[in-house]
Amino acid sequence: SQQGEEDPQALSIQEGENATMNCSYKTSINNLQWYRQNSGRGLVHLILIRSNEREKHSGRLRVTLDTSKKSSSLLITASRAADTASYFCATGTSGNTPLVFGKGTRLSVIA
Amino acid sequence: GAGVSQTPSNKVTEKGKYVELRCDPISGHTALYWYRQSLGQGPEFLIYFQGTGAADDSGLPNDRFFAVRPEGSVSTLKIQRTERGDSAVYLCASRTTSGSTGELFFGEGSRLTVL
């Protein structure tokens, strides 16, 4: 089963623009993570935000978490063609349960 | 090795055949996970190991799927009597601790095609 639902499913923007992807989930979480996947490749971890955090930055990435709305957003600023990939949110609940991934957002950045 | 290694990268087999997919995690990572990813979907959890034991196998779809990690390092996912619906990319990931915290390190995946 998949916990997270990313929105939009696909996003196409021009190089230099900002890209915003959203993730909604259903149950209480311990942390939420974002991963990136280039076509035909494995997933690469981008950033982790804990349930007691509201915002986190890493380079051109900004992640927010609203536990009251059970939602998170990933903002990529000043996008580049190399940012073209699929982006997945994954939720971690308490205890020993594995991460549960959403269906992903396919981002296309046009040069 | 430097990262999670999966072999084979591609496997084409016929319906009804037996398949083994191998995962070599990052050295020292005690937790190892198998996920399955269909086209256009996110990874779906299959099973995870803490050391040599399967800590959670609730994601295995049926008894045709089995996984082992006998020495707490390399893991093998075994699929018996393959069906066309088993076609997917099988992803392996590892991390230093079990559970829900910390990042997962993924391999490049094994793409299985059942004809």
Side-chain angles (χ1 to χ4, degrees):
Chain A
S1 64
Q2 295 187 294
Q3 149 100 293
E5 286 285 339
E6 285 91 339
D7 168 53
Q9 291 185 358
L11 178 63
S12 184
I13 59 173
Q14 297 289 326
E15 207 168 30
E17 294 180 338
N18 295 342
T20 300
M21 289 159 269
N22 303 295
C23 169
S24 60
Y25 57 91
K26 298 173 185 172
T27 64
S28 296
I29 62 170
N30 172 281
N31 67 86
L32 187 144
Q33 305 181 29
W34 286 90
Y35 287 78
R36 166 196 168 123
Q37 185 179 37
N38 284 20
S39 181
R41 307 296 298 274
L43 283 77
V44 175
H45 180 263
L46 294 176
I47 194 164
L48 179 153
I49 186 165
R50 301 193 185 280
S51 59
N52 61 354
E53 297 176 310
R54 292 296 168 259
E55 187 171 315
K56 206 161 182 181
H57 297 254
S58 177
R60 293 185 295 114
L61 304 180
R62 174 181 169 245
V63 169
T64 62
L65 179 64
D66 186 335
T67 53
S68 67
K69 295 181 179 177
K70 291 187 169 59
S71 68
S72 172
S73 68
L74 171 67
L75 168 68
I76 304 174
T77 60
S79 64
R80 306 165 181 168
D83 294 329
T84 295
S86 291
Y87 292 82
F88 297 90
C89 68
T91 52
T93 57
S94 61
N96 258 359
T97 54
L99 291 181
V100 178
F101 287 82
K103 295 183 179 182
T105 292
R106 293 183 302 282
L107 173 66
S108 297
V109 181
I110 302 164
Chain B
V4 177
S5 175
Q6 291 188 248
T7 55
S9 55
N10 277 287
K11 176 71 176 178
V12 180
T13 191
E14 294 180 344
K15 181 175 179 291
K17 298 290 187 182
Y18 170 80
V19 165
E20 287 191 353
L21 306 175
R22 175 190 165 107
C23 173
D24 196 345
I26 292 172
S27 177
H29 280 192
T30 57
L32 183 147
Y33 301 76
W34 284 99
Y35 284 83
R36 179 168 73 172
Q37 186 177 27
S38 300
L39 190 64
Q41 301 293 313
E44 290 196 58
F45 167 72
L46 296 176
I47 184 171
Y48 100 88
F49 291 87
Q50 177 60 27
T52 60
D56 184 348
D57 65 357
S58 61
L60 294 178
N62 51 60
D63 61 6
R64 294 186 298 106
F65 288 75
F66 189 70
V68 295
R69 194 186 186 200
E71 296 178 358
S73 178
V74 171
S75 176
T76 305
L77 178 66
K78 308 180 180 192
I79 310 174
Q80 298 178 321
R81 304 182 304 280
T82 51
E83 299 177 356
R84 291 194 179 88
D86 298 336
S87 296
V89 176
Y90 289 82
L91 294 166
C92 177
S94 69
R95 64 179 166 196
T96 56
T97 58
S98 66
S100 63
T101 59
E103 67 177 282
L104 289 177
F105 294 83
F106 279 86
E108 297 287 274
S110 291
R111 180 177 298 278
L112 175 65
T113 303
V114 182
L115 302 177

